[in-house]
Amino acid sequence: MNRKTQCRPWLADDVRNDRSWIRPLDPTLGDDLDRALQHADETGKAMLDWTPDDFPLREHARAFFKNAFDSTQRDWGFCLIRGMPVERWSVEEARRIYWGLGLHIGVCRTQNRASDIMTSVKDASGSYKVNGGRGYNTNAGLDFHVDFCDVVSLLCLHPAKAGGTSLITSSLAVIDEIRRTRPDLEDALRTPFYFSLQGAGADDEPPVYPCPLYGEKDGFPAFRTNRKNITAAQEYFEQVPRLTDQQVEVLDLLDTLLPDPRFCFSMNIEKGDMQLLNNYTVVHSRTDFEDFEEEEKKRHMLRLWMTLPNSQPLPDDWVAAFKDTRPGSVRGGNRGKHITETFLDYERRQAGYHGMRNVFS
């Protein structure tokens, strides 16, 4: 990756007026996915034991999905694949196909206390703004945040009856706005903010980590925020340094700018859509939602957290958060409490296949 292929700042009107970020799926690629799943199932292996060869894709199909993920590392920093034929798959078939696709892209990260490799973004009557709360198992509107990976990918099996609108904002455009209107706060963006892991860290790592909200490495900017987790670190961990007045002012300003209609683009994710977001240049949220009564119609998305072989370098002082800041490294994720040898074997095998550095091996 070089300076010419970086992500760029954008405004909501830019996205609204240029739909090049939408990538329609050629219907024949759905047949490729079906054939790949049949082959993988015939191996008799568990998903974590699959290799890319166990989920074989023709070059056209592999290139389509790889190019979509690669596109998140330049230009908009996001894209939407439209037309995945989820209506002809059971939920379990969709899970296996989604996992098989990920094998050709990079290394999946574990996401929670249970060390799940894939999560269902679905209301399970969870609580959001509580100690240890997570948003993916609730119907709540979410604070603007980023996830613990290079790219977060959502595959929509069923949209909500109402609401659940995806909100995305270019963090690069917001940083430009802060520099223009409040240059006195830029230094505060680069100071350590402490984030709670919300109980999703491994037993051998601290429950909080320091990470500036903004920094650069080799000319590549990176932004990170999650006010809920910053607030939790302040409320539940006395050893954490208190936020300075300027840091609080930064967070308050972000609460104003991130949802501002000039910057924030609203996107309805429909059945069969796959949304891909770069977590260093795009901040995301969603509105609260109302579900259908029937279980099979409830809002349901599958989520993968991916690290990519062509990812950007991260600021050196982000290492406590990501464990590795080098480009193309296996990094991030919530290790959780249930990492298995099978997962570690998967992690090593995938890193080797994609030529990625792996500090976890």
Side-chain angles (χ1 to χ4, degrees):
M1 189 184 297
N2 56 51
R3 288 285 291 172
K4 293 182 180 179
T5 60
Q6 277 192 24
C7 297
R8 59 184 176 88
W10 47 260
L11 301 176
D13 280 345
D14 299 329
V15 181
R16 201 171 286 115
N17 295 328
D18 180 351
R19 296 299 176 117
S20 60
W21 47 272
I22 299 177
R23 294 175 174 242
L25 184 78
D26 182 334
T28 64
L29 299 191
D31 297 333
D32 273 51
L33 297 175
D34 290 339
R35 285 190 292 267
L37 177 62
Q38 181 179 352
H39 185 279
D41 286 347
E42 288 173 353
T43 68
K45 295 180 180 179
M47 284 198 325
L48 264 178
D49 293 326
W50 290 1
T51 70
D53 289 340
D54 292 323
F55 193 86
L57 293 174
R58 289 185 305 162
E59 180 55 30
H60 177 50
R62 193 193 69 83
F64 174 83
F65 289 104
K66 184 176 184 302
N67 288 340
F69 275 88
D70 285 351
S71 74
T72 65
Q73 305 304 292
R74 60 182 185 270
D75 299 331
W76 300 108
F78 70 92
C79 78
L80 187 77
I81 295 172
R82 176 147 284 165
M84 294 285 284
V86 297
E87 68 282 347
R88 71 193 197 200
W89 303 328
S90 68
V91 172
E92 287 308 311
E93 287 171 337
R95 287 181 190 276
R96 296 200 299 278
I97 286 171
Y98 200 25
W99 179 257
L101 283 177
L103 295 173
H104 292 273
I105 302 303
V107 184
C108 289
R109 315 312 298 134
T110 48
Q111 300 183 30
N112 53 21
R113 178 191 289 267
S115 306
D116 287 328
I117 54 176
M118 185 187 302
T119 51
S120 282
V121 180
K122 187 176 185 180
D123 183 20
S125 300
S127 297
Y128 178 46
K129 291 196 174 181
V130 298
N131 188 21
R134 302 286 297 277
Y136 66 88
N137 59 1
T138 77
N139 68 345
L142 306 182
D143 288 350
F144 277 86
H145 64 283
V146 295
D147 291 326
F148 234 138
C149 55
D150 296 335
V151 172
V152 56
S153 173
L154 288 175
L155 173 61
C156 181
L157 304 183
H158 295 284
K161 179 179 180 181
T165 301
S166 175
L167 308 174
I168 60 173
T169 297
S170 167
S171 55
L172 303 184
V174 166
I175 292 298
D176 285 348
E177 180 72 2
I178 292 173
R179 284 173 171 154
R180 186 180 70 83
T181 62
R182 292 298 308 273
D184 57 305
L185 293 180
E186 184 174 356
D187 286 346
L189 285 165
R190 299 174 183 268
T191 58
F193 288 71
Y194 281 78
F195 294 74
S196 168
L197 281 169
Q198 298 291 66
D203 289 334
D204 61 353
E205 63 181 330
V208 296
Y209 62 89
C211 186
L213 300 189
Y214 180 75
E216 301 107 3
K217 178 67 175 182
D218 298 337
F220 286 86
F223 178 82
R224 179 169 187 77
T225 191
N226 187 327
R227 188 160 195 175
K228 181 178 76 73
N229 290 358
I230 293 171
T231 299
Q234 295 288 306
E235 290 182 351
Y236 300 109
F237 299 97
E238 293 182 359
Q239 73 273 26
V240 169
R242 300 298 92 181
L243 293 168
T244 68
D245 290 345
Q246 279 209 317
Q247 286 180 317
V248 172
E249 195 168 1
V250 162
L251 293 172
D252 289 344
L253 181 58
L254 289 172
D255 283 347
T256 299
L257 292 177
L258 291 172
D260 186 315
R262 291 178 297 159
F263 302 105
C264 180
F265 178 71
S266 300
M267 178 191 306
N268 288 319
I269 304 179
E270 303 295 344
K271 187 170 186 172
D273 285 351
M274 186 189 298
Q275 183 194 60
L276 312 177
L277 303 178
N278 180 323
N279 277 299
Y280 312 126
T281 66
V282 177
V283 190
H284 63 276
S285 177
R286 71 149 194 252
T287 64
D288 56 9
F289 64 87
E290 176 189 355
D291 256 331
F292 290 96
E293 290 295 326
E294 302 91 336
E295 181 63 30
E296 67 275 9
K297 291 184 178 180
K298 291 185 183 297
R299 184 182 191 268
H300 191 182
M301 302 197 185
L302 300 178
R303 184 176 72 179
L304 288 178
W305 284 1
M306 300 294 305
T307 53
L308 307 186
N310 65 331
S311 64
Q312 69 175 65
L314 297 178
D316 293 337
D317 50 7
W318 284 31
V319 69
F322 282 85
K323 307 300 188 289
D324 199 333
T325 59
R326 296 171 296 177
S329 61
V330 178
R331 59 196 183 191
N334 287 319
R335 298 302 276 182
K337 313 298 183 184
H338 301 282
I339 294 290
T340 64
E341 281 301 319
T342 301
F343 175 78
L344 293 174
D345 287 344
Y346 155 82
E347 204 170 41
R348 286 188 286 264
R349 187 172 61 246
Q350 282 292 110
Y353 178 87
H354 289 287
M356 298 174 69
R357 306 177 177 100
N358 183 17
V359 296
F360 298 102
S361 63

